[in-house]
Every structure is written in C-alpha cells, then in structure tokens.
Amino acid sequence: MKSICLFFQIHQPFRHRRYRFFDIGNDHYYYDDYSNESIIRNIADKSYLPANKLLLELAKKLGDKFKVAFSITGVALEQFELYAPDVIESFQKLAKTGCVEFLAETYSHSLSSLRDINAFTDQVKKHDDQIFRLFGQKPRVFRNTEMIYSDEIGEKVAKLGYSAMLTEGAKHVLGWKSPDFLYVNAINPRLKVLMRNYKLSDDIGFRFSDKNWDKHPLTAEKYVGWLEKVGEKEEVINLFMGYDSFGTRQPKEAGIFDFLKALAEQVVKSDKLKFSTPSEAVDELQPISVVSVPHPISWSDEERDLSAWLGNEMQKEAFEKLYAMKGQMARCTDAVLQKDWNYLQASDHFFYMSTKYFADGNPHKSYSHFDSPYEAFINYMNVLSDFKIRLNAHVPESEVENEIASLHRLLEEKEEKIKKMEADLRRLQKTKKQKTTLRKKK
C-alpha cells in the first residue's frame, strides 16, 4: 500500500508597524498589534478552527487509520496564545487523539540555516521546547523554513539528532526520479529525506477553486483515483501545503472542507492507500537512493530557489546587516532584545522586499502589508537601526561604544536619581502645605 503523508505548515509573523526614521532611538516598540491580532483572529475563524474541528471529527471516526502532521512556527504559537487561545486548545485536543505528529522548525520561520549555525541551533531548540510544552511531543522530523534544503543543511539537521527532513521534490534536483520514494542525505545517509509531490499538493492548495483549471471541479473521488494511479512501485506520496489553504486561500464556499472530509474517508477505504505520519513513513520504508542537492532549494516560485527572500540587493543587504549582529547577540542576556532578535529573523521581512511581481500570479505583493518592496526595505532597516543602538548599549562592540554605553547608563542612573529627588520634593512640599493649613485653622 502507498503511504499518504498529509502535512500542513502554519506560520504567522509579528508584523512591523510603520516605523519612521524619526522613531529611531526614540521608540523601541516595532509591532503593529492591531494588524497582528485582527489577522490572527480572522484566519483562525476562517481556517484553523473549522479545519481543526473537522480533523478532530475524522480522528474520532477513523481512529488510528487517519494521520496528519503539522509544522507550526513558534511566533505563530505565541500569537495564538495572545490573540486566539482557542486555536491552541483545538490543537491540544488533536494531539491527544494520537493521530497527529508535530514537526520541528525554526522558531521564527527564519533563514538562519543559510547563515549561522548557532542562531539556527538556538531557534530549533527554542521551537522544540515550545512544542513539548504545549503538546507533549518531542519532534523527530524536521521541516525547515519554506522547505529550504541542501546537502549541507541536511547534515546540520542530522547532527541535531533528527531522523528525517521534509523538502520540495524539485524537478531540477530529481530529474527523471520520482518524489514518491524515501531518499537519504548525500553527506549523512542517516538523515532520511521526504520530498513533496508538488503537483498533487498544489492541486489542492492552489488550484482547487480555480474554475479555469481544466480539472475543475476537483472531487475526492477524482483525486483518490489520481493517488491510486501513481506508479505501482511508488511508496509514499507527500502532500505538503499551507494550512490556510483550507478556508482562506480556498474558501469554505468552494467546498474545500467537504473535500477534505471525503478525501480522508476514501483514503481509509482504499485497498491501495493508507495514511502515515512522516515518522511512520521513515520507520516503515527503505530509502531507494541518495538525493544530491548541492545548492539550496525551497518550495517557492517556479525556480524553487531562494530568490523570493534573497533575490535582490535590498534583501541581501538587510540579511547581511541582521546577521552581522550575531556575535553581539551571542553575548546578549537581555530578554527583550532576544525576543526582538528572534522576531527580526522571520523570513517574511525579506519576502516583503521581493521584486518578483511577475512570478506565480503575483503572490509576493498580495502577502505584504507594505505598498512596495522598497517601503518594506526602508521600514525594516529603520527597525534594524534602532535595534542596533539598543544592542550596542547592552553589548558594546568596541571601546568607543563601551564608553558610550557607560555614559548612557550613567545618564539613566542620573535620570532615576532626579526623578526620585523630584518625587521627594513634591512629597515634602505637600507635607509642608498640610502643616501650614493646620496651623492656620488653629
């Protein structure tokens, strides 16, 4: 029987507010709380909550024959706890069914795997801790930001102790090979590699409600027929997509939830198919060969490369400026700075700067809350400039900055003393006034 690995990504960044040049050094709060809350609440009500409710019903009805996997970023989980705790509760109910596997990720959906092993390791560990705290699972399988993978990144992941990694079944990597098998990393064969069947995944995630698609309408019967007709020797079909495909990208009115319900029920009934979590597929199947990926790939755009995040000079400059601070951050113990550092690493900030408006139906523009990639770049660099000032005050980079930091702390201490003295003066004046009033009355 062919294994069907159904996997969903969930990520929402902490979006920055319009941060002006004159805010630098004066206002250290960078986030658009109203937008973050309204977006989370909207997508929770349209997508995450109804989809989780359906999956819970399927888990109860189909038992251990139904399996699904999630990769939920740490920053998304933080926002659920802040703005939509009912989403956390719904995932916890799913976790208790035993039908769900939670995968490892970078905490803030960052590009750290491309730049700094220490920042990457810190983010992965922070994410693992959060998954265990909320859902009681210790992830065994890793899914990098936007499916970014290379031989070297896979080796790093293997060293962190993971048994397998998910990535894109890119044509230019596989050539004549099929994504519907289990592979191993070219440097460390102990790391298994599951590759996304992008055609079958995108049929649901992107094309389901497209009335101009020659396969529209897509029914569960038709789709299961396609799955069953995949080559006889193929062993695992990896259907990886964003969870917001259900209810947001593909609206409820298009019948996407009914399709998901019928799909699960028909896969369970099929004598040729079965659901498996990524861990189960890795444990049950034997790899057929090495997959060689010398240059990083992703699941974005036609090129399946990194150009959505690092394709122009603005993106590269912002990326380099950010990670130029990694040495200082390694010595930083300030909790607020560490939190901002994690949020600043989110790949979305670089995605908003993309000028690839001609590719894939213009997805880059539709996901950004900025009017242009240039505005996104300026805004991010303003935030980065203020962050650098704060970081230098806590972790001086040079003798000059050390002296400035000392003077800054001295000024803060003097300001505190002045405030205390002013408060004491007001208290004494009030006491004196009360005594004068009492004497006059006598």
Side-chain angles (χ1 to χ4, degrees), residues 54-63 66 260-261 264-265:
L54 174 58
L55 293 188
L56 186 61
E57 291 171 358
L58 289 170
K60 290 178 179 178
K61 180 179 179 180
L62 305 176
F66 177 68
L260 178 58
K261 180 176 183 292
E265 292 172 344

Side-chain angles (χ1 to χ4, degrees), residues 43 57 59 63 91 113 134 144 222 233 246 338 399 431:
I43 198 168
E57 291 171 358
F91 275 112
S113 62
L134 291 172
N144 199 16
K222 186 189 295 185
K233 294 182 179 180
F246 299 91
Q338 288 176 340
E399 286 301 319
T431 302

Side-chain angles (χ1 to χ4, degrees), residues 22 91 118 125 148 211 231 325 386 391 397 418 424:
F22 295 104
F91 275 112
N118 292 324
K125 185 181 183 306
I148 292 172
K211 294 182 179 179
M325 293 185 271
D386 183 80
L391 181 58
E397 197 172 23
I418 290 169
D424 289 341

Side-chain angles (χ1 to χ4, degrees), residues 39-282:
I39 289 169
I40 286 291
R41 196 64 255 178
N42 181 59
I43 198 168
D45 292 336
K46 283 187 175 181
S47 178
Y48 302 150
L49 288 173
N52 279 0
K53 181 182 178 183
L54 174 58
L55 293 188
L56 186 61
E57 291 171 358
L58 289 170
K60 290 178 179 178
K61 180 179 179 180
L62 305 176
D64 61 4
K65 292 182 179 180
F66 177 68
K67 303 288 172 64
V68 65
F70 287 97
S71 177
I72 314 176
T73 62
V75 290
L77 289 168
E78 271 195 52
Q79 290 185 82
F80 293 152
E81 290 187 286
L82 282 171
Y83 308 129
D86 44 346
V87 173
I88 296 287
E89 291 169 9
S90 66
F91 275 112
Q92 288 172 334
K93 288 178 182 177
L94 276 173
K96 289 177 181 178
T97 66
C99 297
V100 177
E101 178 177 10
F102 292 95
L103 307 189
E105 245 264 26
T106 55
Y107 188 87
S108 61
H109 206 62
S110 76
L111 303 174
S112 56
S113 62
L114 302 169
R115 189 64 170 78
D116 183 64
I117 185 60
N118 292 324
F120 178 62
T121 302
D122 289 346
Q123 286 225 351
V124 173
K125 185 181 183 306
K126 185 177 174 66
H127 182 265
D128 270 9
D129 290 345
Q130 193 179 34
I131 293 296
F132 186 78
R133 175 178 67 85
L134 291 172
F135 308 119
Q137 289 190 21
K138 182 170 176 55
R140 292 180 53 205
V141 176
F142 189 81
R143 187 268 186 191
N144 199 16
T145 302
E146 301 297 331
M147 295 279 184
I148 292 172
Y149 177 84
S150 70
D151 297 335
E152 289 187 4
I153 292 172
E155 183 189 26
K156 292 176 187 176
V157 170
K159 286 180 178 178
L160 292 176
Y162 298 100
S163 59
M165 188 168 174
L166 277 53
T167 191
E168 178 74 354
K171 268 187 180 181
H172 69 276
V173 167
L174 287 171
W176 56 269
K177 294 177 183 177
S178 167
D180 305 325
F181 290 99
L182 184 65
Y183 293 89
V184 296
N185 177 262
I187 299 174
N188 189 336
R190 284 179 295 182
L191 183 82
K192 310 301 187 297
V193 181
L194 289 162
M195 308 197 80
R196 185 175 86 115
N197 186 313
Y198 65 84
K199 183 183 181 304
L200 287 169
S201 298
D202 290 349
D203 284 344
I204 299 174
F206 289 99
R207 290 183 280 272
F208 179 81
S209 60
D210 182 2
K211 294 182 179 179
N212 295 318
W213 181 34
D214 60 354
K215 302 295 192 299
H216 186 274
L218 180 61
T219 63
E221 293 83 2
K222 186 189 295 185
Y223 192 80
V224 169
W226 295 347
L227 296 175
E228 290 180 337
K229 287 176 184 176
V230 169
E232 289 183 10
K233 294 182 179 180
E234 269 76 350
E235 297 175 326
V236 55
I237 304 174
N238 299 306
L239 304 176
F240 305 158
M241 62 199 81
Y243 202 33
D244 58 352
S245 296
F246 299 91
T248 303
R249 188 178 293 122
Q250 309 301 333
K252 176 184 177 181
E253 294 73 21
I256 190 66
F257 292 109
D258 294 332
F259 170 84
L260 178 58
K261 180 176 183 292
L263 173 63
E265 292 172 344
Q266 292 196 35
V267 167
V268 168
K269 289 178 183 177
S270 172
D271 58 359
K272 298 179 181 179
L273 307 170
K274 68 171 183 176
F275 283 113
S276 296
T277 63
S279 287
E280 288 174 341
V282 167

